Amino acid sequence: SAIVFVIGVAPAGAQIITEIIDFEGDGTHSFFVGADIAVAPAGNVYVSGIASDNAFEITPAGTVTQIIDSTGDMTNPLSLPWGVALDGSGDVYVAGTGSANVFRISGGSITQIIDGNGDMTHPLSAPSCVVTDGSGNVFVAGSGSDNVFKLSGGTITQIIDSDGDNLGNPLSGPACLAVDAAGNVYVTAQSSHNAFRITPAGLITEIIDANGDFTSPLAKPNAIAVDGSGNVFVAGSETHNVFRIPPAGPITEIIDSTGDKQGHGLAEPFDLAVDGEGNVYVTGTESENAFRITPDGLISEIIDSTGDGNGKTLSRAFAVAVGDPGIVYVSGELNVFEIEIVCADLNAPPWANLGHALAGTHGEPCLIGSGPLQADTELTLTLSNAVPASTTWLAGGFAQANVPFKGGILVPDPGPPGLLIPGLPTLDGTLIISETWPPGVPPGFVLYLQHWIVDPGGPVGFAASNAISGTT
């Protein structure tokens, strides 16, 4: 059977969940309904309180500070703040849906940068979303005025209006925006059930409509996100699904109302986020949960209505954002949770986690086994959190050695009839190996596996994944 190598990512599963803000806000100013979240590279989290007419900053140390309230800039008020964004300078942007304006918060100074007059020719009404690009441009969607504005160097320009692509595909009720590395702007439209791409040159293209992937429809799309490969993701709030739109190739539904197909459904998806490894995160407002979808299609629920499981519950999941690798933020009506996705206990039967990871440059590499060990069926081994652009040795055996090796513990016995596969590429720090399980293996057979990675940050120049076992 053939071994297939695919660029992959860590699968979803176990997590550590911590509430980082609740309805008491900063202790003086209350927080209600987290409509949007933005995360700075330093780890500061910004969240808008649409029902409390304010926004907060939460530092990694846990300090909560209100950064704007209903008084706006003391001249122009803020009402129903929805969208929140950050630029490369660390400035924060907050869109007031009710006050028809957007504010920039820079070093404690608050400035209104656009109001209901829009570009003075085309008005702005009910701005629901604000995003920035790598050049410092700001983009604002007017959900009530059916348009999108670009703010660049003090100049405001309307880049799309209700005519959409001017080819008969209108834009009605724009809800959310995304920008890719090339400066293309993407916008969803809830009332016209579609989404558009707008190039820096002004070319407008409808990228999805109510037909969805022509098998599953799209209705009332709100959230949109784009990954580093140019894949665009659109969530249909009324059809309870998410689609992937690649730069070339067919549109694919990646999750529907059945959620993880393990009894955890997705109802009324509200927001999307994509991390650097291509994992997609989606919140379900009515299902009060959030899911993680890996590039190879593995879906798992990362939080539900029980919140942290210790009495701090999640009600009506709204925004989702990603921070450092493995860190995700989800907001509800009364709080925001930090979710740390960890490797421990991610392996489910017939796979088991045996531990003994040896930390390297990026911490402990993670090895996950999936798929049944049944004749002529595919099993998958996913390595993540390894040092990028290196090589790994996959050790396997039918018994445990548990011997000291390279500063860690070598768990599998790779001696005959075991295996040792050298020189596998870690690429971006992840690796997926797919293998068809051979026929004729008796029940109760146990296979032990562990990766050893060349890593200058590890003891003796190596790091090791946790060991796993799979039982037939």
Side-chain angles (χ1 to χ4, degrees), residues 203-224:
L203 179 64
I204 301 172
T205 306
E206 184 184 58
I207 59 172
I208 192 171
D209 62 17
N211 292 310
D213 62 4
F214 292 93
T215 299
S216 303
L218 171 71
K220 290 195 177 300
N222 48 3
I224 190 166

Side-chain angles (χ1 to χ4, degrees), residues 29-50:
H29 310 99
S30 298
F31 164 72
F32 293 107
V33 186
D36 200 10
I37 300 172
V39 184
N44 294 325
V45 178
Y46 300 88
V47 59
S48 58
I50 193 170

Side-chain angles (χ1 to χ4, degrees), residues 21 44-47 55-59 62-67 92:
I21 186 174
N44 294 325
V45 178
Y46 300 88
V47 59
F56 293 89
E57 176 190 70
I58 306 124
T59 70
T63 302
V64 179
T65 306
Q66 179 181 263
I67 58 172
V92 184

